[in-house]
Amino acid sequence: MGTVIDSHFLGLTAIVTAGYQLLFFIVTALLKFDKVTDFAGSTNFVIIAILTLVLKGSWHFRQIVLTLLVVIWGLRLGLFLLMRILQWGEDRRLDEMRASLGKLAVFWIFQAVWVWTVSLPVTVVNSSNRNPSLQAEDIIGWIIWLVGFLVEATADQQKLTFKNSPENRGKWCNVGLWQYSRHPNYFGEIFLWWGIFVASTPVLEGAEWLVILGPIFLTLLLLFISGIPLLEESADKKFGNVTGYRLYKRKTSPLIPLPPVVYGNLPSWFKTTFLFEFPFYSRSLPQEGSN
C-alpha cells in the first residue's frame, strides 16, 4: 500500500499513538480507573508494529520478524502488568496525579512520546522498500532481543512469586536474578530494545539512523526519570534502616547483572562510571545509624 501521510509512517504512528493514549487518559480521568495504564502503553507498541507492517504490505522477512518480536514482548508485558495491577490494586505512580488533571495529562502525554519514540526502529523498518539479504546484524539483534526478553520475563515472574508469598511480606526481593541486579527487569527491557535497533540497522540509510533515539530514550528514561530512581527512592524509604537491605544495596548492581562478590568489591568510581551506580539513587537512604 505504501505511503500514509509520510513515507516512514511517522505522522500516522504519532496520530494513532496520541489517539490511543487519549482514549485511556479519558477513561482514567473520568472513571478514576488507572489499572490500565501499563496495558495501554504495552499494547500501543503492538498496534504500531502490526499497523505499519500491514499498511506497507511488502511482508519482507526482516519486517515480519521484528514485528513479531515487538508483538511477543508487548503482549507478554501488557498482560503481565494488567494481571499484576488487578491483583495488587492501584498504580502507586499515579497517587499524586489523580487529584490533578494537569499532572495526569502530562503523564499520558509522556507515555505517548515513550511509545512513539521507542517504536521508531520497527516503524522505519516496516516502512522501508529496502530488503537486503540477511546480515550478521540481524542475527545478533535477534539474539540480544531473546536474552533481554528472557531476563525481563524471568525477573518479573520471580518478583511476582516472591511478593505473593506471605512469608515475604515487608521484604525486598533478592531471589533469582534479583540477587545479581536490583532491577533485572529493566536491564532486560533495555537490552531487548537495543537488540531490535541492531536488527534494524541493515535497512537504515541517512537520517533513518536517528531511530537510535528509540533505545537511547528508553535507557535514559529508566536510568534517570521513571524507572530506577523512583523504585530506589521507594525501597530506601521502606527498608533504609534495615542492615540487610543496606548490605544488599551495597553489593548488588543497580542494573547490569553481576555476582555480588564481584560488584561489592569494585571501587565507587568504577560503579558510577561504568555500572550506573549514580549517587542520587541513594539520596533517600537514611544516614548510617539514624532512626
Side-chain angles (χ1 to χ4, degrees):
M1 296 175 65
T3 301
V4 179
I5 302 179
D6 64 89
S7 61
H8 288 89
F9 296 147
L10 301 181
L12 173 68
T13 53
I15 292 171
V16 169
T17 299
Y20 192 65
Q21 296 304 313
L22 176 61
L23 173 64
F24 282 97
F25 163 69
I26 292 172
V27 170
T28 302
L30 292 181
L31 303 181
K32 306 297 182 184
F33 184 79
D34 54 27
K35 293 181 174 62
V36 292
T37 304
D38 289 315
F39 181 80
S42 302
T43 54
N44 203 154
F45 285 95
V46 174
I47 291 171
I48 287 178
I50 294 176
L51 181 65
T52 53
L53 177 69
V54 172
L55 286 177
K56 185 62 178 180
S58 51
W59 303 98
H60 297 153
F61 182 67
R62 181 180 287 105
Q63 295 172 335
I64 294 172
V65 171
L66 284 183
T67 298
L68 186 61
L69 297 185
V70 173
V71 169
I72 292 171
W73 170 80
L75 291 181
R76 199 288 307 176
L77 183 62
L79 291 173
F80 171 81
L81 294 176
L82 179 62
M83 294 300 102
R84 189 183 69 176
I85 197 68
L86 290 175
Q87 179 181 355
W88 288 0
E90 295 179 326
D91 191 336
R92 293 181 180 177
R93 294 172 304 172
L94 302 182
D95 284 347
E96 297 180 359
M97 303 180 192
R98 294 188 188 97
S100 172
L101 192 62
K103 290 183 179 179
L104 194 62
V106 169
F107 175 88
W108 283 94
I109 291 171
F110 196 79
Q111 177 150 289
V113 172
W114 164 63
V115 172
W116 184 85
T117 306
V118 177
S119 292
L120 283 174
V122 72
T123 298
V124 169
V125 168
N126 282 353
S127 70
S128 179
N129 293 315
R130 291 183 293 278
N131 185 30
S133 59
L134 207 62
Q135 312 276 323
E137 292 91 331
D138 293 294
I139 306 300
I140 293 170
W142 299 343
I143 292 173
I144 292 173
W145 178 90
L146 179 61
V147 172
F149 179 81
L150 292 176
V151 168
E152 182 181 39
T154 301
D156 282 342
Q157 190 57 48
Q158 288 174 340
K159 188 170 187 178
L160 182 65
T161 302
F162 182 88
K163 290 284 189 179
N164 285 339
S165 179
E167 61 265 26
N168 292 327
R169 284 180 184 165
K171 298 180 181 179
W172 62 95
C173 183
N174 59 354
V175 300
L177 291 173
W178 301 83
Q179 299 176 69
Y180 308 103
S181 168
R182 304 202 299 271
H183 305 281
N185 54 334
Y186 288 159
F187 170 80
E189 183 162 336
I190 290 171
F191 206 60
L192 71 87
W193 277 105
W194 276 103
I196 287 177
F197 166 72
V198 171
S200 75
T201 57
V203 173
L204 304 180
E205 286 186 351
E208 291 174 349
W209 280 90
L210 288 173
V211 301
I212 196 175
L213 293 174
I216 288 176
F217 181 83
L218 175 66
T219 303
L220 295 178
L221 177 69
L222 293 180
L223 284 176
F224 296 105
I225 302 175
S226 71
I228 295 177
L230 294 181
L231 293 181
E232 289 286 306
E233 180 181 12
S234 175
D236 286 354
K237 289 179 178 178
K238 188 181 297 184
F239 307 114
N241 286 310
V242 179
T243 302
Y245 170 78
R246 298 179 75 98
L247 183 64
Y248 168 76
K249 184 161 184 172
R250 187 161 57 246
K251 291 191 172 184
T252 310
S253 170
L255 184 69
I256 301 172
L258 288 171
V261 67
V262 173
Y263 185 80
N265 289 303
L266 292 173
S268 297
W269 67 265
F270 187 90
K271 293 179 181 178
T272 301
T273 306
F274 298 107
L275 298 174
F276 313 111
E277 187 68 89
F278 303 119
F280 70 90
Y281 286 170
S282 297
R283 62 190 172 191
S284 297
L285 192 67
Q287 293 296 316
E288 202 83 49
S290 64
N291 293 322

